[in-house]
Amino acid sequence: MSAKRTAPSITTAVLRKLTEEGRAPRLLDVRTPAEFRTSHIPGAYNVPLHTLREHRAELRSHLDEEIVLVCRSGARASQAEQALAEVGLPNLRILDGGMNAWEAADAPLKRGPERWDMERQVRLVAGSIVLTTGLVGILVPGAHLIGTAVGAGLTYAALSNSCMMGVLLSKLPYNRGPRTDISAVIAELRSAA
């Protein structure tokens, strides 16, 4: 079993300075298309985590310079880094704090229609299940155990840095949006080289 690597991070301030100087690295945003459309760093390429995992070998031949991986907070970017490192990409960095930090620094953004991010959706669904089963449990013995199972799932999600509820929610039409055309992304990467 191989040890889990952690790519070096890059701060918002450093990335912003590089961008302003015209020396920006390639930015791969691994969030869902819906999250990307809501807001993203200008010049970023949207390659959702599941698409990146599926096409990492194809992407590898078009990513020969420094790459910064971006997600909401850093968790998905870390998973993307692992996947790309497995195909031999050594020049990977993760935006420290992700889009949360970028937005907090009031850095330039390209905005689209507002949508709830995945973490907020998970909190809504998990909280609703726990609240509903807690109330129903007053009348129906054992119903509260569903809420307990959700709590156990959230605990596992925190410990494993993965979230099955988030994966399931990402499959909803609200979160999917148009599928990322990997051929178009690769063509853009090729032409920008």
Side-chain angles (χ1 to χ4, degrees), residues 144-154:
H144 71 283
L145 294 176
I146 296 170
T148 303
V150 169
L154 291 173

Side-chain angles (χ1 to χ4, degrees), residues 3-83:
K4 189 173 184 178
R5 340 175 323 140
T6 304
S9 63
I10 185 170
T11 65
T12 294
V14 170
L15 180 58
R16 188 174 183 176
K17 185 174 194 267
L18 290 171
T19 302
E20 289 168 354
E21 293 172 352
R23 300 184 303 131
R26 293 277 177 110
L27 302 174
L28 293 186
D29 191 319
V30 299
R31 298 174 300 150
T32 66
E35 289 174 295
F36 183 79
R37 277 194 320 273
T38 297
S39 68
H40 62 271
I41 300 170
Y45 298 90
N46 183 221
V47 184
L49 183 57
H50 69 277
T51 303
L52 180 136
R53 284 182 176 140
E54 185 179 330
H55 297 280
R56 61 188 167 181
E58 292 171 71
L59 288 166
R60 195 240 177 277
S61 61
H62 302 288
L63 299 172
D64 54 359
E65 63 281 335
E66 184 180 10
I67 297 134
V68 174
L69 299 164
V70 179
C71 69
R72 184 178 180 281
S73 63
R76 285 178 279 178
S78 294
Q79 293 174 37
E81 185 273 333
Q82 288 290 125

Side-chain angles (χ1 to χ4, degrees), residues 157-173:
L159 295 173
S160 67
N161 201 23
S162 65
C163 183
M164 183 55 68
M165 188 178 296
V167 169
L168 294 173
L169 287 171
S170 73
K171 306 240 183 263
L172 294 175

Side-chain angles (χ1 to χ4, degrees), residues 103-164:
E103 289 184 31
D106 201 27
L109 283 173
K110 185 168 183 179
R111 291 202 179 271
E114 191 66 35
R115 293 176 172 266
W116 281 19
D117 62 47
M118 192 58 61
E119 183 179 316
R120 186 174 182 189
Q121 292 178 53
V122 168
R123 290 191 313 251
L124 173 69
V125 172
S128 297
I129 292 170
V130 170
L131 176 63
T132 302
T133 58
L135 294 173
V136 170
I138 296 169
L139 302 172
V140 180
H144 71 283
L145 294 176
I146 296 170
T148 303
V150 169
L154 291 173
T155 302
Y156 175 77
L159 295 173
S160 67
N161 201 23
S162 65
C163 183
M164 183 55 68

